Amino acid sequence: MGINLTAETKVIKNIPTICSFCSNGCGMFVRTKGKEPLGVIPIINHPISEGRLCHRGWNRFQNLRSLNRILRPRLHDGNQVKEVSWTEALNKVAEIISNLLNAFGPQSIGVIGSPCLTNEDNFLLSIFAKTILKTNNLDGSYRFGGAMALEALERVYSSPLGSLGLISDLPNSPAILVVENSALRDFSPVGSRVIQGAIGGTTIVLADPMVRHCEHFYSLHLPYSLENLSHLFDEESAIPPEIRGKFNLPNCSVIFVADQVRPALSLIAFLTAFLEQLPASGKLLKIFPLSRSPNLRGAWDMGVKPGKYGLSISEMLAPESKIKGLLIFGDDLITHLPSAAMIEKVKNLEFLLVVDRFNTETSRFAHITLPLPLLAESEGTMTNCEGRVQMLRPVLSPRGESRSLMEVLGELALKLGSSLPYSSLSELRDAIGTTIPGYQIINELKNLD
Ligand code: SF4
């Protein structure tokens, strides 16, 4: 029997984009045939990865077509789930939000953004919350992980000491402190640069209480967690003088997994103590807050955090909270919550809207679910752990009836009797470029396209 190859399925394309499975932002071509991903090819001259990819980057693109997608808008009523049109779903969302606003005011609603959304989506979400819903109750579940590290860095580096480092410069560091071995194992393009540094003479120190036998490229193993490191650097005897001396040189590096920093105070205490021990030259430290979330830094920069008098996620889900409705975008919130009481609070909200790509633990308890495209089906920008803004290109066509967040929020704003100030990605990027410090580059990325 002959195979029916349509024109679409015959075409093989290599589309340049970035990997969206962690905060490194490695460069790759995604090879597609028609609408399906065939695999990936690393971009050799990409400034971050220079031809490297980790196991996730190599393998996950083949499995993007998950069976677990939300494909159409749905209304949930107990165990009954009904697929409906976008018009019916958005009318219902607007009706419920209007009722909550009229009965309890804007502070009865909370909005949850995500480091798994693009910069454009998070920025728009922040505008939607603050100007359309008029609530400052905006946050993300990353509050329980990576955002604590970013908050700590903001506090420690409010003075111009140190900065985010460039991954490609790691081999030039005189000394590197790696907090937890997983920072190199799970982010192997970073690990590869650290080993490259060790070969060239960089002193590598590992702080990890779980490791029993260190790999050969480490010069010193400190069996301590981040919380205990600050005390250690106070003690002259804990670090041999020749290693301590290396950290006195400029451009040394500290690598850690931001998602594992809990609480922010542990990082603040460590960095403060560490910096106090160092002479002026050593204070020019490069920081690498790695994250398994692809856009941790971008979500934070775009304002996914409480506004003035707004509630954090912990406050929204506290027993005494007056929050009645929660709108969750791209985040499986329940799986990140640290207490059963918070989970119960989510389950018992008067209104839970989940706008996401997949059926998740959180979407099980939603009253309405709306489908979003995957990152691989979206156009936008992401900010990597170095603070570098990069373009994410759509490599697959959207599945089902998913709609971009810009379309969803734009239509919802109209149904709520208002309108968003931006009607295109281009206008949105102009606004980001002019209002968020360090994001002027976003306009140049747009122009390069
Ligand atoms: S290190 Fe991160 S960005 Fe790079 S290939 Fe792996 S998952 Fe993707």
Side-chain angles (χ1 to χ4, degrees):
M1 195 165 72
I3 300 170
N4 182 14
L5 287 176
T6 64
E8 186 180 55
T9 56
K10 283 179 195 167
V11 178
I12 292 181
K13 289 187 199 160
N14 295 325
I15 304 169
T17 187
I18 53 170
C19 174
S20 54
F21 298 128
C22 89
S23 66
N24 280 16
C26 296
M28 57 167 57
F29 295 101
V30 176
R31 173 163 278 217
T32 59
K33 186 176 185 184
K35 292 179 179 174
E36 295 306 317
L38 296 177
V40 299
I41 305 167
I43 297 178
I44 299 295
N45 59 353
H46 190 268
I48 299 164
S49 45
E50 293 175 333
R52 297 166 175 85
L53 295 176
C54 78
H55 59 100
R56 282 167 294 172
W58 274 113
N59 296 306
R60 282 207 189 163
F61 269 88
Q62 283 90 333
N63 303 328
L64 280 176
R65 294 303 202 190
S66 163
L67 299 173
N68 198 26
R69 293 285 296 275
I70 299 173
L71 294 174
R72 285 169 200 84
R74 297 186 312 220
L75 305 185
H76 302 238
D77 184 6
N79 290 331
Q80 304 291 315
V81 180
K82 186 171 85 163
E83 290 189 346
V84 296
S85 68
W86 270 99
T87 304
E88 185 177 347
L90 288 178
N91 282 343
K92 192 75 185 162
V93 173
E95 180 192 325
I96 296 172
I97 289 177
S98 296
N99 289 342
L100 289 176
L101 291 174
N102 291 335
F104 305 106
Q107 296 314 318
S108 66
I109 296 181
V111 177
I112 304 297
S114 166
C116 296
L117 296 175
T118 61
N119 289 327
E120 289 80 356
D121 282 352
N122 276 315
F123 183 80
L124 200 61
L125 204 50
S126 163
I127 298 291
F128 179 81
K130 289 169 187 163
T131 65
I132 307 294
L133 301 178
K134 304 204 183 320
T135 178
N136 279 336
N137 302 333
L138 174 65
D139 210 348
S141 67
Y142 70 168
R143 173 74 47 190
F144 304 114
M148 289 196 193
L150 298 185
E151 194 172 357
L153 290 175
E154 231 172 56
R155 283 167 63 179
V156 174
Y157 287 120
S158 52
S159 59
L161 292 172
S163 62
L164 295 177
L166 295 178
I167 292 171
S168 58
D169 278 351
L170 268 170
N172 302 322
S173 289
I176 301 174
L177 172 64
V178 179
V179 182
E180 294 195 16
N181 199 35
S182 62
L184 302 193
R185 190 192 57 220
D186 295 353
F187 301 84
S188 53
V190 171
S192 152
R193 290 323 204 303
V194 170
I195 294 170
Q196 197 182 334
I199 292 168
T202 300
T203 296
I204 320 285
V205 176
L206 172 68
D208 193 329
M210 306 304 285
V211 166
R212 295 186 60 196
H213 300 292
C214 263
E215 292 181 75
H216 62 277
F217 55 84
Y218 287 115
S219 308
L220 177 68
H221 174 213
L222 303 170
Y224 299 97
S225 61
L226 187 65
E227 295 83 64
N228 300 317
L229 275 180
S230 48
H231 308 298
L232 203 68
F233 275 89
D234 284 343
E235 295 170 23
E236 288 285 324
S237 57
I239 319 276
E242 67 277 13
I243 291 182
R244 184 178 279 270
K246 285 286 192 79
F247 280 99
N248 290 344
L249 299 170
N251 297 322
C252 289
S253 303
V254 176
I255 301 172
F256 58 90
V257 180
D259 312 327
Q260 287 163 10
V261 172
R262 290 189 202 93
L265 284 178
S266 63
L267 182 60
I268 293 171
F270 161 66
L271 282 175
T272 307
F274 193 38
L275 288 166
E276 269 173 13
Q277 297 292 314
L278 300 174
S281 53
K283 292 187 201 303
L284 298 170
L285 204 58
K286 300 294 180 198
I287 307 290
F288 295 83
L290 310 180
S291 172
R292 293 185 180 85
S293 300
N295 201 24
L296 176 73
R297 174 85 204 184
W300 185 257
D301 288 347
M302 294 303 119
V304 178
K305 47 191 154 187
K308 198 173 181 187
Y309 306 123
L311 302 179
S312 68
I313 182 71
S314 299
E315 292 165 330
M316 289 185 227
L317 300 178
E320 68 279 8
S321 162
K322 302 277 192 297
I323 291 287
K324 306 284 183 194
L326 205 54
L327 319 182
I328 303 179
F329 296 83
D331 194 344
D332 188 6
L333 178 68
I334 280 183
T335 58
H336 295 99
L337 294 179
S339 76
M342 284 186 176
I343 294 172
E344 279 309 300
K345 188 89 180 178
V346 173
K347 289 181 183 173
N348 293 310
L349 286 165
E350 282 190 27
F351 180 51
L352 181 62
L353 171 70
V354 170
V355 185
D356 209 340
R357 296 124 182 166
F358 300 103
N359 292 300
T360 62
E361 189 59 22
T362 309
S363 71
R364 286 177 52 211
F365 300 100
H367 298 101
I368 299 179
T369 44
L370 302 175
L372 269 187
L374 295 175
L375 285 172
E377 297 165 350
S378 309
E379 181 188 337
T381 59
M382 313 251 269
T383 310
N384 85 336
C385 59
E386 307 167 313
R388 188 189 299 259
V389 186
Q390 301 192 96
M391 185 66 79
L392 178 82
R393 290 178 176 81
V395 294
L396 304 173
S397 49
R399 290 198 73 193
E401 295 177 14
S402 62
R403 286 190 184 176
S404 72
L405 203 52
M406 183 158 219
E407 285 178 82
V408 176
L409 295 180
E411 202 167 325
L412 197 51
L414 290 175
K415 288 181 188 296
L416 290 167
S418 189
S419 66
L420 287 171
Y422 321 109
S423 57
S424 69
L425 267 179
S426 167
E427 284 179 19
L428 189 54
R429 286 188 191 136
D430 283 340
I432 294 172
T434 50
T435 57
I436 310 275
Y439 277 80
Q440 296 83 352
I441 181 78
I442 207 167
N443 292 316
E444 290 166 35
L445 291 174
K446 176 191 69 179
N447 293 337
L448 282 177
D449 258 18

